[in-house]
Protein backbone atom coordinates (compact mmCIF):
# COMPACT_ATOMS: atom_id res chain seq x y z
CA UNK A 1 0.00 0.00 0.00
CA UNK A 2 1.20 3.49 -0.84
CA UNK A 3 1.51 5.93 2.06
CA UNK A 4 -0.03 9.04 0.53
CA UNK A 5 -1.40 11.51 3.07
CA UNK A 6 -3.56 14.53 2.29
CA UNK A 7 -3.37 17.32 4.87
CA UNK A 8 -6.47 19.53 4.88
CA UNK A 9 -6.35 22.99 6.49
CA UNK A 10 -8.93 25.74 6.90
CA UNK A 11 -7.70 29.35 6.68
CA UNK A 12 -10.12 32.00 7.91
CA UNK A 13 -7.54 34.67 8.73
CA UNK A 14 -4.15 35.63 7.32
CA UNK A 15 -2.63 32.18 6.87
CA UNK A 16 -0.05 32.41 9.66
CA UNK A 17 -0.07 31.09 13.19
CA UNK A 18 0.89 28.15 15.35
CA UNK A 19 -0.88 25.26 13.63
CA UNK A 20 0.60 26.16 10.23
CA UNK A 21 4.06 25.79 11.74
CA UNK A 22 2.99 22.56 13.46
CA UNK A 23 2.10 21.16 10.04
CA UNK A 24 5.40 22.38 8.63
CA UNK A 25 7.37 20.78 11.47
CA UNK A 26 5.65 17.42 10.98
CA UNK A 27 6.04 17.38 7.21
CA UNK A 28 9.68 18.48 7.36
CA UNK A 29 10.62 15.85 9.94
CA UNK A 30 12.10 12.48 9.03
CA UNK A 31 8.57 11.05 8.68
CA UNK A 32 8.69 12.33 5.08
CA UNK A 33 10.99 9.40 4.30
CA UNK A 34 8.02 7.05 4.64
CA UNK A 35 4.97 9.17 3.74
CA UNK A 36 4.14 11.32 0.74
CA UNK A 37 2.29 14.44 1.86
CA UNK A 38 -0.02 16.67 -0.15
CA UNK A 39 -1.75 19.79 1.18
CA UNK A 40 -5.12 21.39 0.52
CA UNK A 41 -5.63 24.84 2.01
CA UNK A 42 -9.28 25.91 2.06
CA UNK A 43 -10.40 29.41 2.96
CA UNK A 44 -10.32 33.13 2.40
CA UNK A 45 -6.53 33.51 2.18
CA UNK A 46 -3.57 31.51 0.97
CA UNK A 47 -0.74 30.66 3.38
CA UNK A 48 2.90 31.38 2.61
CA UNK A 49 3.92 28.96 5.36
CA UNK A 50 2.05 26.07 3.74
CA UNK A 51 3.13 27.02 0.22
CA UNK A 52 6.79 26.89 1.29
CA UNK A 53 6.53 23.27 2.49
CA UNK A 54 8.17 20.79 0.11
CA UNK A 55 5.40 18.27 -0.58
CA UNK A 56 3.91 16.18 -3.40
CA UNK A 57 1.23 18.74 -4.26
CA UNK A 58 -0.29 21.93 -2.93
CA UNK A 59 -3.80 23.18 -3.72
CA UNK A 60 -5.49 26.35 -2.54
CA UNK A 61 -9.29 26.30 -2.72
CA UNK A 62 -10.35 29.90 -2.29
CA UNK A 63 -13.73 30.75 -0.77
CA UNK A 64 -15.06 34.18 -1.75
CA UNK A 65 -18.78 33.51 -1.36
CA UNK A 66 -20.94 30.91 0.34
CA UNK A 67 -21.74 29.18 -2.98
CA UNK A 68 -18.03 28.31 -3.34
CA UNK A 69 -18.44 25.83 -0.49
CA UNK A 70 -20.70 23.69 -2.68
CA UNK A 71 -17.75 22.78 -4.94
CA UNK A 72 -15.37 21.84 -2.14
CA UNK A 73 -16.24 18.17 -1.85
CA UNK A 74 -16.00 17.71 -5.61
CA UNK A 75 -12.53 19.32 -5.62
CA UNK A 76 -11.35 17.24 -2.66
CA UNK A 77 -12.46 14.03 -4.39
CA UNK A 78 -10.52 15.07 -7.52
CA UNK A 79 -7.36 15.61 -5.48
CA UNK A 80 -7.86 12.29 -3.67
CA UNK A 81 -8.02 10.48 -7.02
CA UNK A 82 -5.16 12.45 -8.56
CA UNK A 83 -2.77 11.90 -5.64
CA UNK A 84 -4.04 8.38 -4.84
CA UNK A 85 -4.63 9.38 -1.23
CA UNK A 86 -4.69 6.69 1.47
CA UNK A 87 -5.05 8.88 4.57
CA UNK A 88 -6.55 12.32 5.22
CA UNK A 89 -5.10 14.27 8.12
CA UNK A 90 -7.37 17.18 8.96
CA UNK A 91 -6.11 20.10 11.08
CA UNK A 92 -9.39 21.97 11.66
CA UNK A 93 -12.49 20.41 13.16
CA UNK A 94 -14.79 22.64 11.04
CA UNK A 95 -13.83 20.80 7.83
CA UNK A 96 -13.77 17.24 9.14
CA UNK A 97 -16.96 16.53 7.15
CA UNK A 98 -14.88 16.83 3.99
CA UNK A 99 -12.55 14.05 5.19
CA UNK A 100 -15.44 11.70 5.86
CA UNK A 101 -17.35 12.42 2.64
CA UNK A 102 -14.22 12.23 0.46
CA UNK A 103 -14.50 8.44 0.38
CA UNK A 104 -11.13 7.94 2.11
CA UNK A 105 -11.58 5.47 4.98
CA UNK A 106 -8.46 6.33 6.98
CA UNK A 107 -8.97 9.75 8.54
CA UNK A 108 -7.51 11.58 11.51
CA UNK A 109 -8.12 14.99 13.06
CA UNK A 110 -5.60 17.06 15.03
CA UNK A 111 -6.91 19.74 17.35
CA UNK A 112 -3.95 22.10 17.64
CA UNK A 113 -4.50 23.28 21.20
CA UNK A 114 -6.82 26.18 21.95
CA UNK A 115 -9.89 26.32 24.13
CA UNK A 116 -12.30 23.43 24.41
CA UNK A 117 -15.18 24.00 22.00
CA UNK A 118 -18.74 22.75 22.10
CA UNK A 119 -19.20 22.34 18.32
CA UNK A 120 -16.94 19.35 17.72
CA UNK A 121 -17.48 16.42 15.34
CA UNK A 122 -17.51 12.76 16.24
CA UNK A 123 -14.24 11.36 14.88
CA UNK A 124 -12.62 7.96 14.82
CA UNK A 125 -9.03 9.14 15.40
CA UNK A 126 -8.12 12.29 17.33
CA UNK A 127 -4.73 13.85 18.16
CA UNK A 128 -4.66 16.42 20.96
CA UNK A 129 -1.83 18.68 22.11
CA UNK A 130 -2.83 19.13 25.77
CA UNK A 131 -4.30 17.26 28.72
CA UNK A 132 -6.74 20.16 29.04
CA UNK A 133 -8.24 19.15 25.67
CA UNK A 134 -7.85 15.41 26.20
CA UNK A 135 -9.88 15.25 29.43
CA UNK A 136 -12.65 17.42 27.93
CA UNK A 137 -13.09 15.51 24.68
CA UNK A 138 -12.92 12.16 26.41
CA UNK A 139 -15.87 13.24 28.55
CA UNK A 140 -17.73 14.12 25.34
CA UNK A 141 -16.81 10.73 23.85
CA UNK A 142 -15.60 12.62 20.79
CA UNK A 143 -13.48 9.77 19.42
CA UNK A 144 -12.72 6.06 19.49
CA UNK A 145 -8.96 6.59 19.33
CA UNK A 146 -7.28 9.37 21.37
CA UNK A 147 -3.62 10.33 21.06
CA UNK A 148 -1.94 12.91 23.30
CA UNK A 149 1.09 14.37 21.53
CA UNK A 150 2.23 17.73 22.95
CA UNK A 151 3.02 20.21 20.21
CA UNK A 152 6.49 19.73 18.74
CA UNK A 153 9.00 21.75 16.75
CA UNK A 154 12.14 21.15 14.75
CA UNK A 155 15.58 22.54 15.63
CA UNK A 156 16.45 25.56 13.49
CA UNK A 157 19.32 27.85 12.56
CA UNK A 158 19.72 31.45 13.70
CA UNK A 159 19.47 34.27 11.19
CA UNK A 160 22.51 36.23 12.36
CA UNK A 161 22.08 38.96 9.76
CA UNK A 162 18.60 39.82 11.00
CA UNK A 163 19.77 39.57 14.62
CA UNK A 164 22.55 42.08 13.99
CA UNK A 165 20.17 44.41 12.18
CA UNK A 166 17.76 44.22 15.09
CA UNK A 167 20.54 44.99 17.57
CA UNK A 168 21.38 48.06 15.51
CA UNK A 169 17.75 49.20 15.47
CA UNK A 170 17.42 49.08 19.26
CA UNK A 171 20.87 50.48 20.06
CA UNK A 172 21.97 47.25 21.74
CA UNK A 173 24.78 47.37 24.31
CA UNK A 174 26.59 44.39 25.87
CA UNK A 175 25.18 45.03 29.34
CA UNK A 176 21.56 44.95 28.08
CA UNK A 177 19.28 42.13 29.14
CA UNK A 178 16.98 41.53 26.18
CA UNK A 179 13.40 40.35 26.58
CA UNK A 180 11.66 39.26 23.39
CA UNK A 181 7.98 38.81 22.67
CA UNK A 182 6.69 37.81 19.23
CA UNK A 183 2.94 38.24 18.83
CA UNK A 184 0.28 39.68 16.60
CA UNK A 185 -0.83 43.01 18.05
CA UNK A 186 -4.46 42.09 18.66
CA UNK A 187 -6.83 42.18 21.61
CA UNK A 188 -6.29 38.44 21.98
CA UNK A 189 -2.76 39.18 23.24
CA UNK A 190 -3.57 42.42 25.09
CA UNK A 191 -2.94 40.99 28.55
CA UNK A 192 0.37 39.30 27.72
CA UNK A 193 1.71 42.29 25.74
CA UNK A 194 1.07 44.75 28.56
CA UNK A 195 2.41 42.29 31.13
CA UNK A 196 5.60 42.04 29.06
CA UNK A 197 6.04 45.80 29.30
CA UNK A 198 5.35 45.69 33.06
CA UNK A 199 7.95 43.01 33.78
CA UNK A 200 10.54 44.94 31.75
CA UNK A 201 9.83 48.02 33.86
CA UNK A 202 10.03 45.94 37.04
CA UNK A 203 13.45 44.57 36.10
CA UNK A 204 14.74 48.08 35.44
CA UNK A 205 13.44 49.19 38.84
CA UNK A 206 15.59 46.39 40.27
CA UNK A 207 18.71 47.76 38.53
CA UNK A 208 18.61 45.29 35.65
CA UNK A 209 19.23 47.09 32.36
CA UNK A 210 16.37 45.38 30.54
CA UNK A 211 15.01 46.11 27.07
CA UNK A 212 11.87 44.62 25.58
CA UNK A 213 11.62 43.92 21.86
CA UNK A 214 8.03 43.41 20.73
CA UNK A 215 7.81 42.01 17.20
CA UNK A 216 4.55 41.54 15.36
CA UNK A 217 2.15 42.62 12.70
CA UNK A 218 0.42 45.79 13.87
CA UNK A 219 -3.30 45.14 13.85
CA UNK A 220 -4.62 47.10 16.82
CA UNK A 221 -2.00 49.22 18.57
CA UNK A 222 -4.74 50.69 20.81
CA UNK A 223 -4.47 47.60 23.01
CA UNK A 224 -1.11 48.82 24.34
CA UNK A 225 -1.27 50.65 27.67
CA UNK A 226 0.77 53.74 26.80
CA UNK A 227 1.01 54.75 30.47
CA UNK A 228 3.44 51.83 30.93
CA UNK A 229 5.78 52.84 28.12
CA UNK A 230 9.33 53.93 28.84
CA UNK A 231 12.36 54.13 26.56
CA UNK A 232 13.17 50.47 27.27
CA UNK A 233 10.44 49.14 24.95
CA UNK A 234 11.09 48.73 21.24
CA UNK A 235 8.22 48.02 18.87
CA UNK A 236 9.16 46.34 15.59
CA UNK A 237 6.00 46.32 13.49
CA UNK A 238 6.86 44.64 10.23
CA UNK A 239 4.99 42.83 7.50
CA UNK A 240 7.80 40.46 6.70
CA UNK A 241 11.37 41.44 7.58
CA UNK A 242 11.25 40.24 11.18
CA UNK A 243 7.89 38.49 11.43
CA UNK A 244 8.55 35.83 8.75
CA UNK A 245 10.21 32.86 10.45
CA UNK A 246 10.60 35.05 13.52
CA UNK A 247 11.94 32.08 15.47
CA UNK A 248 15.25 32.59 13.65
CA UNK A 249 15.89 35.76 15.69
CA UNK A 250 15.05 34.28 19.11
CA UNK A 251 18.75 34.00 19.90
CA UNK A 252 18.94 37.79 20.31
CA UNK A 253 17.24 37.53 23.69
CA UNK A 254 18.12 36.47 27.21
CA UNK A 255 14.48 36.06 28.21
CA UNK A 256 11.69 34.89 25.91
CA UNK A 257 8.06 35.74 26.71
CA UNK A 258 5.59 33.64 24.78
CA UNK A 259 2.92 31.03 24.39
CA UNK A 260 2.59 27.66 22.68
CA UNK A 261 5.16 26.67 20.10
CA UNK A 262 7.13 29.92 20.55
CA UNK A 263 8.11 28.75 24.02
CA UNK A 264 9.17 25.38 22.59
CA UNK A 265 11.31 27.10 19.96
CA UNK A 266 12.94 29.29 22.62
CA UNK A 267 13.69 26.21 24.72
CA UNK A 268 15.74 24.81 21.82
CA UNK A 269 18.02 27.84 22.33
CA UNK A 270 18.12 27.32 26.13
CA UNK A 271 16.48 30.67 26.88
CA UNK A 272 14.94 31.77 30.16
CA UNK A 273 11.23 31.46 29.46
CA UNK A 274 8.23 33.39 30.78
CA UNK A 275 4.59 32.61 30.07
CA UNK A 276 1.41 34.53 30.76
CA UNK A 277 -1.16 32.87 33.00
CA UNK A 278 -4.82 33.49 33.77
CA UNK A 279 -4.26 34.39 37.43
CA UNK A 280 -0.97 36.34 37.65
CA UNK A 281 -0.40 39.97 36.70
CA UNK A 282 3.08 39.42 35.28
CA UNK A 283 4.43 36.66 33.02
CA UNK A 284 5.54 33.71 35.15
CA UNK A 285 8.92 31.98 35.04
CA UNK A 286 8.74 28.52 33.53
CA UNK A 287 10.82 26.30 35.80
CA UNK A 288 10.76 22.74 37.09
CA UNK A 289 7.88 23.62 39.43
CA UNK A 290 5.65 25.38 36.89
CA UNK A 291 6.52 23.36 33.76
CA UNK A 292 3.96 20.55 34.32
CA UNK A 293 1.07 23.03 34.62
CA UNK A 294 2.21 25.00 31.58
CA UNK A 295 2.40 21.75 29.59
CA UNK A 296 -1.04 20.70 30.81
CA UNK A 297 -2.47 23.76 29.01
CA UNK A 298 -0.10 23.71 25.99
CA UNK A 299 1.58 26.91 27.25
CA UNK A 300 -1.58 28.96 26.67
CA UNK A 301 -2.68 32.01 28.67
CA UNK A 302 -5.28 29.77 30.35
CA UNK A 303 -2.61 28.34 32.67
CA UNK A 304 -4.06 28.66 36.22
CA UNK A 305 -0.94 29.77 38.12
CA UNK A 306 -1.05 32.64 40.62
CA UNK A 307 2.20 34.18 41.88
CA UNK A 308 2.56 37.65 43.38
CA UNK A 309 4.37 40.28 41.29
CA UNK A 310 7.28 40.75 43.70
CA UNK A 311 7.94 37.00 43.83
CA UNK A 312 7.86 36.78 40.04
CA UNK A 313 10.47 39.55 39.68
CA UNK A 314 12.73 37.88 42.26
CA UNK A 315 12.49 34.53 40.50
CA UNK A 316 13.44 36.05 37.14
CA UNK A 317 16.37 37.99 38.59
CA UNK A 318 17.58 34.82 40.30
CA UNK A 319 17.33 32.92 37.00
CA UNK A 320 19.41 35.61 35.28
CA UNK A 321 22.22 35.33 37.78
CA UNK A 322 22.39 31.62 38.64
CA UNK A 323 22.75 30.66 34.94
CA UNK A 324 21.33 27.17 35.54
CA UNK A 325 18.63 27.25 32.90
CA UNK A 326 17.21 23.87 31.87
CA UNK A 327 15.02 24.76 28.93
CA UNK A 328 17.21 22.96 26.35
CA UNK A 329 16.78 19.79 28.44
CA UNK A 330 12.99 20.25 28.17
CA UNK A 331 13.28 20.68 24.41
CA UNK A 332 15.26 17.47 24.02
CA UNK A 333 12.81 15.56 26.23
CA UNK A 334 9.41 17.00 25.32
CA UNK A 335 9.43 19.33 22.30
CA UNK A 336 11.64 17.88 19.53
CA UNK A 337 9.33 16.43 16.88
CA UNK A 338 11.95 13.91 15.79
CA UNK A 339 11.40 12.14 19.12
CA UNK A 340 7.79 11.31 18.15
CA UNK A 341 8.16 10.40 14.47
CA UNK A 342 7.70 6.73 15.38
CA UNK A 343 4.56 7.65 17.33
CA UNK A 344 3.05 9.34 14.27
CA UNK A 345 4.07 6.38 12.11
CA UNK A 346 2.31 4.00 14.50
CA UNK A 347 -0.81 6.17 14.51
CA UNK A 348 -0.97 6.34 10.71
CA UNK A 349 -0.50 2.58 10.52
CA UNK A 350 -3.30 1.75 12.97
CA UNK A 351 -6.15 4.14 12.24
CA UNK A 352 -9.70 3.08 13.06
CA UNK A 353 -11.55 3.07 9.68
CA UNK A 354 -14.10 5.79 9.04
CA UNK A 355 -17.70 5.05 8.09
CA UNK A 356 -18.11 7.26 5.00
CA UNK A 357 -21.77 8.02 5.57
CA UNK A 358 -23.55 11.32 6.04
CA UNK A 359 -25.35 11.59 9.38
CA UNK A 360 -26.76 14.17 11.79
CA UNK A 361 -23.36 14.80 13.44
CA UNK A 362 -21.74 15.48 10.07
CA UNK A 363 -24.65 17.76 9.17
CA UNK A 364 -23.99 19.76 12.35
CA UNK A 365 -20.29 19.86 11.47
CA UNK A 366 -21.10 21.13 7.95
CA UNK A 367 -23.52 23.79 9.27
CA UNK A 368 -20.95 25.02 11.77
CA UNK A 369 -18.43 25.27 8.92
CA UNK A 370 -20.90 27.39 6.91
CA UNK A 371 -21.50 29.58 9.96
CA UNK A 372 -17.74 30.17 10.38
CA UNK A 373 -17.28 30.93 6.69
CA UNK A 374 -20.21 33.35 6.69
CA UNK A 375 -18.61 35.36 9.48
CA UNK A 376 -15.43 35.84 7.47
CA UNK A 377 -16.56 36.71 3.94
Amino acid sequence: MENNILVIVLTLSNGVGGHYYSISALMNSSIKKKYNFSIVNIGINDSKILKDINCSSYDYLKIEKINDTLELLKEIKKIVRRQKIDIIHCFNEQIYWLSVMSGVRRNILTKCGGQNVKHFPKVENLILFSNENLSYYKKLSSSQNYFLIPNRVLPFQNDNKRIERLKSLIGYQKEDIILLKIARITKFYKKSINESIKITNSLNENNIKAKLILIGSEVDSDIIDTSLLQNNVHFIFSDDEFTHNAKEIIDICDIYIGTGRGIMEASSKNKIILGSTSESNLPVLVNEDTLPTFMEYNFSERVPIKIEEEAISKQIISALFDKKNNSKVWFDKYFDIEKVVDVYDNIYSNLVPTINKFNIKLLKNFLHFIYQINKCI
Side-chain angles (χ1 to χ4, degrees), residues 127-142:
I127 294 175
L128 299 160
F129 282 176
S130 72
N131 269 310
E132 175 194 20
N133 291 155
L134 179 65
S135 59
Y136 178 80
Y137 291 108
K138 273 193 170 182
K139 285 179 183 177
L140 289 184
S141 299
S142 298

Side-chain angles (χ1 to χ4, degrees), residues 3 31 34-35 340-350:
N3 292 313
I31 202 167
K34 183 169 182 180
Y35 294 92
V340 292
V341 163
D342 288 344
V343 176
Y344 273 100
D345 183 21
N346 186 58
I347 290 171
Y348 286 145
S349 300
N350 296 283

Side-chain angles (χ1 to χ4, degrees), residues 55 97 101 111 122 150 152 172 268 307 315 328 359:
C55 60
W97 63 276
M101 299 311 296
K111 176 169 171 50
K122 182 81 172 179
R152 301 273 174 153
Y172 173 78
S268 75
I307 303 177
Q315 287 179 348
K328 180 60 166 64
N359 54 44

Side-chain angles (χ1 to χ4, degrees), residues 227-291:
S227 68
L228 298 172
L229 295 179
Q230 300 177 17
N231 60 6
N232 53 31
V233 180
H234 300 269
F235 296 103
I236 309 294
F237 295 143
S238 164
D239 288 335
D240 199 55
E241 182 179 6
F242 294 109
T243 54
H244 181 60
N245 280 331
K247 65 186 179 184
E248 295 173 354
I249 58 176
I250 285 175
D251 212 38
I252 193 174
C253 74
D254 302 281
I255 300 172
Y256 183 85
I257 309 171
T259 56
R261 65 179 300 105
I263 283 179
M264 299 168 193
E265 290 164 347
S267 74
S268 75
K269 301 298 181 182
N270 204 38
K271 299 302 176 181
I272 295 171
I273 294 169
L274 310 182
S276 287
T277 73
S278 62
E279 299 180 15
S280 298
N281 295 322
L282 291 176
V284 169
L285 179 69
V286 181
N287 56 26
E288 295 294 342
D289 294 328
T290 60
L291 178 65

Side-chain angles (χ1 to χ4, degrees), residues 18 20 24 60 90 121 165-166 215 217 245 252 368:
Y20 297 93
S24 177
Y60 170 46
C90 187
R165 171 155 165 70
L166 196 49
I215 295 177
S217 300
N245 280 331
I252 193 174
H368 184 58

Side-chain angles (χ1 to χ4, degrees), residues 118-183:
K118 183 170 63 174
H119 297 286
F120 201 82
K122 182 81 172 179
V123 305
E124 281 71 26
N125 307 282
L126 178 60
I127 294 175
L128 299 160
F129 282 176
S130 72
N131 269 310
E132 175 194 20
N133 291 155
L134 179 65
S135 59
Y136 178 80
Y137 291 108
K138 273 193 170 182
K139 285 179 183 177
L140 289 184
S141 299
S142 298
S143 179
Q144 295 181 48
N145 244 358
Y146 297 92
F147 308 97
L148 177 63
I149 308 178
N151 196 11
R152 301 273 174 153
V153 299
L154 280 168
F156 56 92
Q157 298 295 315
N158 299 327
D159 186 335
N160 292 318
K161 286 185 178 179
R162 283 197 294 172
I163 288 174
E164 289 306 313
R165 171 155 165 70
L166 196 49
K167 285 181 176 180
S168 176
L169 287 174
I170 68 168
Y172 173 78
Q173 297 177 330
K174 286 185 178 180
E175 63 269 25
D176 291 339
I177 297 296
I178 301 297
L179 294 86
L180 175 65
K181 182 167 183 63
I182 301 167

Side-chain angles (χ1 to χ4, degrees), residues 327-344:
S327 66
K328 180 60 166 64
V329 174
W330 305 334
F331 173 80
D332 292 337
K333 188 173 182 180
Y334 302 117
F335 309 140
D336 185 348
I337 198 166
E338 290 295 346
K339 302 293 174 63
V340 292
V341 163
D342 288 344
V343 176
Y344 273 100

